[in-house]
Amino acid sequence: MVTRHKADEYYMNRALSLAWRGMDGAPPNPKVGCVLVKDGRVVGEGYHARCGGPHAEVAALDDAAKKGEDVRGATAYVTLEPCSHFGKTPPCAPRLVEEGVARVVVGSVDPNPKVRGRGLEILKAAGVEVSLPCLEKECKWLNRGFFRRQTLNRPWVTLKAATGLDGRMALPSGESKWITGETARGWAHLMRAEHDAVLVGVGTILADDPQLTVRHTCGKSPLRIILDTNLSLPPDAGVLKDAGVFKKAGIFRKEGCLILTGCGDLEKKRALERAGAEVCVLPARPRVDVDAALKELARRDIQSVMVEGGPRVLSAFIETERCDSLAFFMSGSLMGEGRGLGDELRFDFMKDVVRLREMRTRRAGNDLLVEGVFRCSPVL
């Protein structure tokens, strides 16, 4: 016999799978899925497909209506607390009450101060049974960037690196193409597509001239961000090809190029802007300030960023403890002398070394992918 608890997890997993479909369209709103169940049958389901469009609960109710299903007395499984305020669309909690939904199972409470518990209060005040949390860890992980921005006013930061077995990221000459094989590179590009932005230092651009777009897999290219303290990026760099800035209502959209700098040289700035980039001057001491950079990205509704720079850029995020997760590709090669992942880090005591939690290892073709969450990363 299936217990109520197991049934709740089953339908919440289904709602989670729906929510992932909104990966490209929902941001900066959270990705949310909803499943309506009555008498052991799914009578409606939906997800938040695009910012400004119907929320998951409304999409599920509309789906049920199209099927001619009566949702009175049904249970709604929602990955995130139903909203309680008017934004671009009407609130969802009152709509669930109006439709006669009897029970709502919630994955996690919404961290947005405009909601945070208010949607639950509306449901409870109307006599709707509320059960939470259900698969909370999975539901929060789905929207980890949204949670970071709402609670810490910065994006979720993933550090990505590729090295040989000896921890080297490049040969003494600077050559690093290709450390890993095609499978690992395909996975790395899929990770890019799952983030709002990808960030590198100008040294990576000068050494490799990458475009930082999504290839080898499906998905949209993220916003490309370059930390360039002195504006040394040449206007004909590959990263600026087709880099026209996509804007709408002052919010950056994917596929643009943003340069964060500490240099106010107007001539250099204008040359890069003519090439299609936007240049934003931030404090630099002596490098571009990491906290200032992350706050600027949060202001632009960027909720997740993958840092793919060299040892210097990666260490800047580690030293300031502004890093959340790690994606570390390790190839089966010995590279000898060269630039190492930890070259810019120094610790005098073992208690101070960087450690991860929730680690896992997977094979990526003939390479390994090590993933984990930094211990300095606040728990969601």
Side-chain angles (χ1 to χ4, degrees):
M1 181 177 180
V2 178
T3 65
R4 191 179 195 186
H5 174 72
K6 289 297 182 182
D8 286 349
E9 289 190 352
Y10 172 83
Y11 291 117
M12 187 60 72
N13 268 315
R14 185 160 177 165
L16 279 166
S17 67
L18 289 167
W20 275 108
R21 299 182 187 178
M23 184 178 73
D24 286 333
N29 286 352
K31 299 180 286 291
V32 183
C34 177
V35 176
L36 295 169
V37 178
K38 184 176 180 180
D39 299 328
R41 291 189 309 111
V42 174
V43 295
E45 57 185 19
Y47 66 96
H48 186 39
R50 62 179 179 84
C51 182
H55 287 190
E57 299 92 326
V58 174
L61 290 168
D62 289 346
D63 180 51
K66 289 176 183 177
K67 297 174 180 176
E69 297 283 0
D70 183 0
V71 300
R72 286 176 294 180
T75 296
Y77 294 87
V78 192
T79 55
L80 190 69
E81 174 186 358
C83 63
S84 57
H85 68 292
F86 278 87
K88 293 182 178 179
T89 59
C92 296
R95 175 72 184 275
L96 291 171
V97 172
E98 292 170 7
E99 296 286 346
V101 171
R103 180 172 179 249
V104 177
V105 181
V106 177
S108 63
V109 175
D110 194 325
N112 186 341
K114 294 180 179 179
V115 182
R116 199 158 40 197
R118 292 181 176 85
L120 304 179
E121 291 172 1
I122 290 173
L123 295 171
K124 291 176 182 177
V128 177
E129 180 186 347
V130 176
S131 299
L132 80 159
C134 179
L135 300 184
E136 181 179 28
K137 184 177 180 180
E138 292 84 349
C139 290
K140 285 185 173 181
W141 183 259
L142 169 71
N143 285 304
R144 54 195 179 278
F146 177 74
F147 273 78
R148 270 292 175 271
R149 184 169 172 271
Q150 292 294 331
T151 57
L152 297 181
N153 193 32
R154 70 165 175 84
W156 179 276
V157 178
T158 301
L159 304 188
K160 177 260 176 183
T163 76
L165 287 173
D166 47 6
R168 297 299 172 189
M169 299 181 70
L171 300 178
S173 64
E175 183 181 354
S176 62
K177 293 184 178 179
W178 298 100
I179 295 175
T180 56
E182 288 188 11
T183 299
R185 294 200 296 274
W187 285 18
H189 280 255
L190 182 60
M191 290 177 185
R192 278 184 187 174
E194 291 175 347
H195 286 75
D196 292 339
V198 57
L199 182 150
V200 301
V202 70
T204 295
I205 302 295
L206 297 177
D208 299 332
D209 195 29
Q211 290 184 302
L212 300 179
T213 53
V214 169
R215 303 180 301 281
H216 307 295
T217 186
C218 59
K220 292 183 179 179
S221 294
L223 172 67
R224 291 164 279 182
I225 303 170
I226 303 159
L227 297 183
D228 186 0
T229 303
N230 300 307
L231 283 184
S232 53
L233 179 73
D236 62 349
V239 74
L240 296 180
K241 293 177 181 176
D242 302 320
V245 178
F246 291 79
K247 279 186 169 183
K248 185 175 181 181
I251 297 175
F252 258 80
R253 305 175 81 185
K254 292 183 178 182
E255 300 175 358
C257 186
L258 172 65
I259 301 172
L260 302 179
T261 183
C263 176
D265 188 311
L266 287 179
E267 185 175 340
K268 290 182 178 180
K269 183 174 181 289
R270 288 168 180 163
L272 291 168
E273 288 174 341
R274 284 195 295 270
E278 176 166 342
V279 180
C280 179
V281 181
L282 297 174
R285 43 178 193 264
R287 298 175 290 186
V288 175
D289 182 77
V290 169
D291 277 325
L294 291 177
K295 286 181 181 178
E296 176 63 21
L297 297 184
R299 188 185 71 81
R300 296 172 183 269
D301 280 334
I302 298 299
Q303 300 187 22
S304 61
V305 57
M306 187 160 76
V307 180
E308 295 192 34
R312 191 178 184 190
V313 170
L314 293 171
S315 66
F317 283 86
I318 293 172
E319 288 171 346
T320 56
E321 297 190 343
R322 297 300 183 264
C323 48
D324 296 298
S325 57
L326 174 71
F328 175 34
F329 289 93
M330 185 187 306
S331 72
S333 60
L334 295 171
M335 298 175 62
E337 294 182 2
R339 301 174 66 199
L341 177 60
D343 282 357
E344 299 289 326
L345 299 171
R346 177 185 172 85
F347 306 104
D348 294 322
F349 304 100
M350 283 300 297
K351 66 180 179 64
D352 298 325
V353 302
V354 178
R355 296 187 185 276
L356 301 176
R357 64 179 192 265
E358 301 178 35
M359 285 185 61
R360 67 170 179 168
T361 303
R362 294 185 283 167
R363 286 194 62 174
N366 198 43
D367 305 304
L368 291 177
L369 170 60
V370 180
E371 296 174 289
V373 177
F374 286 94
R375 287 193 178 179
C376 63
S377 174
V379 176
L380 289 171

